[in-house]
Amino acid sequence: QVQLVESGGGLVQPGGSLRLSCVASGSIFSIQTMGWYRQAPGKQRDFVADKISGGATNYADSVKGRFTISRDNAKNAVYLHMNSLRPDDTAVYYCYAAGVTRGLGAFSSWGQGTQVTVSS
């Protein structure tokens, strides 16, 4: 079992910044991918960004140039630095991780989500 716990959401004014954090724990041998998705009310869950072990980083077009994803492999953590926030960034943000357990089985896990609200 691998668990993900997010933190850092909240209410911010348009143009402001927030940093989301996510830490993975449990029976982890290695983590290949860590990333973020978001889901606005009444909409599907959409990809935001991810970072692959070895360096590749991917962003949704809507956040390029405003959001930065980073990882701390020693802590099994991923962060999302969000700048120039807009009202349409309002959503529940979910952390995602995929990798290999100590039992050498594959895992993919989701966090419980953290609310980000951008409003004046």
Side-chain angles (χ1 to χ4, degrees), residues 6-90:
E6 303 114 330
S7 61
L11 173 65
V12 63
Q13 293 187 341
S17 300
L18 277 177
R19 189 184 84 151
L20 305 183
S21 301
C22 172
V23 178
S25 62
S27 180
I28 299 170
F29 177 73
S30 65
I31 301 179
Q32 178 70 9
T33 302
M34 295 192 84
W36 296 91
Y37 285 69
R38 66 186 181 186
Q39 188 167 19
K43 296 189 177 181
Q44 66 183 20
R45 189 174 298 188
D46 290 330
F47 171 78
V48 175
D50 67 12
K51 191 165 181 67
I52 314 300
S53 179
T57 301
N58 303 289
Y59 293 98
D61 287 343
S62 59
V63 307
K64 280 181 183 176
R66 300 188 299 123
F67 291 10
T68 302
I69 189 170
S70 61
R71 283 179 64 172
D72 184 333
N73 293 326
K75 296 181 179 179
N76 289 330
V78 64
Y79 308 97
L80 188 67
H81 306 260
M82 305 185 292
N83 297 317
S84 302
L85 283 160
R86 310 184 306 218
D88 63 357
D89 294 315
T90 295

